[in-house]
Amino acid sequence: MKNLKLFLGVLMFCSFYCNSQVSEGKILYNVNIDIFMERINSNNSNSSANTLFKDVAKAIKDVSMTLSFNQHLSKFEVNKTMPSDFSEKTSKLALIMANKGVYYTNKKLGKQLLVRTFQGDNFNVLSEIEERNWTLTRESKKIGDFTCYKATMNKETVGGNFPITAWYTPQIPLSFGPNQFVGNLPGLILELHDTDVSYVCSSITLNPKENVVIEWPEADETMTKEEYKKAGDELKKKLTKF
């Protein structure tokens, strides 16, 4: 316990020291579904679905995501590129797996807004920044020029209980990251392994000459996470009828 407190104290000192140096920036992430494919391959099945997902795994490597951030706001979105050299079905599925929508985070308000369009329906999901029970470890590695530390947690889903791993750097002491993983770690997440999808930092731009401007969307109508899930379940039922 004493050593853990010392470790956390060092991280907090590093965050305080670096905070005056990094105020905004952009992170580019490459995407893969290696974790998902490991589960698929462990089934030892040669079904047509497995063949499709193998193509998706190749196509998704052409997808990239950008996290823009300043002291209080962040925006996480897919870059406007389509995977090439694959069928339309494969490319669309790759984008769907990689991109859950555009995530806006406002740390001052403690709010997050997911903006998504799917099958012609628009969704604006407003929620509180969720508290997550991360376990911080001393395990570290270098990502680019930054020392990152490993944090883990478990995520319960309909399909089971899955581990989540984040690599964050106290050298960028702004607690942002991919998708909904914000506000809980003492540094920015440069690598995230979610249940199916991994986001791995490929380039970092800090304190650019042009300010990083993030505008919180003015959504006429918003819904809760519970309402969003219900709407998604109803949409799935419609799709399965055809």
Side-chain angles (χ1 to χ4, degrees), residues 162-174:
F162 296 95
I164 309 293
T165 300
W167 292 90
Y168 67 94
T169 177
Q171 292 173 266
I172 310 176
L174 300 170

Side-chain angles (χ1 to χ4, degrees), residues 183-199:
N184 290 275
L185 291 172
L188 192 140
I189 298 173
L190 297 187
E191 184 172 318
L192 176 74
H193 302 282
D194 203 346
T195 53
D196 296 326
V197 185
S198 294
Y199 304 91

Side-chain angles (χ1 to χ4, degrees), residues 1-10 136 138:
M1 179 63 73
K2 184 177 180 180
N3 289 338
L4 179 59
K5 287 182 178 179
L6 178 61
F7 172 68
L8 293 174
V10 171
L136 305 186
R138 298 182 184 84

Side-chain angles (χ1 to χ4, degrees), residues 133-150:
N133 188 26
W134 288 104
T135 298
L136 305 186
T137 77
R138 298 182 184 84
E139 186 176 347
S140 66
K141 70 176 181 179
K142 295 284 282 189
I143 297 179
D145 295 327
F146 297 90
T147 299
C148 296
Y149 292 91
K150 182 180 181 181

